[in-house]
Amino acid sequence: MELKKILDVRRSTRKFLDRKVEQEKLQRIADMALTAPSSRNSRSTRLMIVDKKEDLEHISTMRDYGAAFVKNAAAAILVMGDKSKSDLWLDNCVITATILQLAVVDEGLASCWVHVNDRPCLKDEPEGKKAEEHLREKFAIPENYGILCAIALGYSDFEPAPLPAYEGEERVIWL
Ligand SMILES: Cc1cc2nc3c(=O)[nH]c(=O)nc-3n(C[C@H](O)[C@H](O)[C@H](O)COP(=O)(O)O)c2cc1C
């Protein structure tokens, strides 16, 4: 798909059809995401592809706000960074996650970012247990990996409104 078209149709989607995503599609999405640039070409980003119902349910309960819909996604991809490879592992993850969301659209799917890094499990307990700890209880994630987010994805069951044009002129400064 042309980039302009991908940018026009990408919207966060939290409602998915009850349909599995083919493994080849998930692999292509991961391959496209990992073309992302990285600081000093450190290639610190790691992806974990999750598509088992019970694993998706585990992700959906990592926070009591903004994550419940993950249990009905067809898959989720954890975007993680190897902290030993780069001090800018988090920045590298952000770029990978962004390209990953665009790759999802290119494969005819839709997605939503679900934040992990430094987020508490309970909204009312900001200093309490973190979503990352919850994920580590079930998934074998190496100690030196940090987790930025999960990208929940699937075939969309949601007709989004077109993206609004960006508001005002203050977001682009011409000198
Ligand atoms: C850094 C970041 C964190 C986000 N975290 C969540 C989240 O935890 N749960 C959720 O439902 N949506 C999350 N989103 C999706 C945003 O709510 C969404 O991108 C925003 O409302 C704009 O809508 P659009 O993606 O359709 O343009 C996140 C997006 C970003 C970029």
Side-chain angles (χ1 to χ4, degrees):
M1 212 185 282
E2 204 186 309
L3 179 60
K4 172 80 175 78
K5 172 87 177 149
I6 292 175
L7 297 174
D8 282 345
V9 302
R10 185 217 55 81
R11 293 308 306 269
S12 292
T13 298
R14 301 174 182 85
K15 208 163 164 255
F16 303 98
L17 296 177
D18 184 15
R19 179 176 164 190
K20 266 191 97 63
V21 171
E22 299 77 355
Q23 220 171 341
E24 316 83 74
K25 283 199 178 201
L26 293 171
Q27 184 64 59
R28 280 200 297 271
I29 289 165
D31 292 347
M32 283 189 262
L34 291 175
T35 65
S38 60
S39 166
R40 296 177 168 217
N41 204 21
S42 52
R43 299 181 165 216
S44 57
T45 306
R46 305 286 179 264
L47 302 176
M48 182 177 277
I49 302 174
V50 176
D51 68 351
K52 287 196 192 71
K53 192 80 193 154
E54 61 164 272
D55 292 339
L56 293 165
E57 270 171 19
H58 188 73
I59 297 175
S60 77
T61 56
M62 70 180 173
R63 293 172 22 196
D64 67 351
Y65 53 101
F69 70 93
V70 180
K71 69 174 179 295
N72 295 320
I77 300 181
L78 296 181
V79 183
M80 308 178 295
D82 184 341
K83 297 179 182 182
S84 69
K85 300 269 181 217
S86 174
D87 57 336
L88 296 183
W89 67 272
L90 199 53
D91 311 65
N92 293 340
C93 278
V94 172
I95 302 168
T96 307
T98 305
I99 294 181
L100 196 153
Q101 286 203 282
L102 301 180
V104 163
V105 177
D106 195 47
E107 290 291 339
L109 304 163
S111 72
C112 187
W113 183 307
V114 194
H115 213 64
V116 176
N117 183 51
D118 212 28
R119 282 286 185 267
C121 294
L122 304 176
K123 199 176 183 181
D124 293 340
E125 290 181 20
E127 302 307 323
K129 184 179 167 185
K130 301 286 189 202
E132 178 162 337
E133 291 172 59
H134 175 88
L135 295 179
R136 287 181 183 282
E137 285 165 6
K138 191 164 173 63
F139 307 128
I141 296 170
E143 200 60 37
N144 51 317
Y145 289 10
I147 312 171
L148 171 69
C149 67
I151 303 293
L153 63 99
Y155 287 94
S156 179
D157 188 18
F158 172 63
E159 201 57 62
L163 261 182
Y166 67 82
E167 57 291 325
E169 297 197 343
E170 70 275 11
R171 293 185 70 189
V172 179
I173 298 165
W174 280 80
L175 293 184

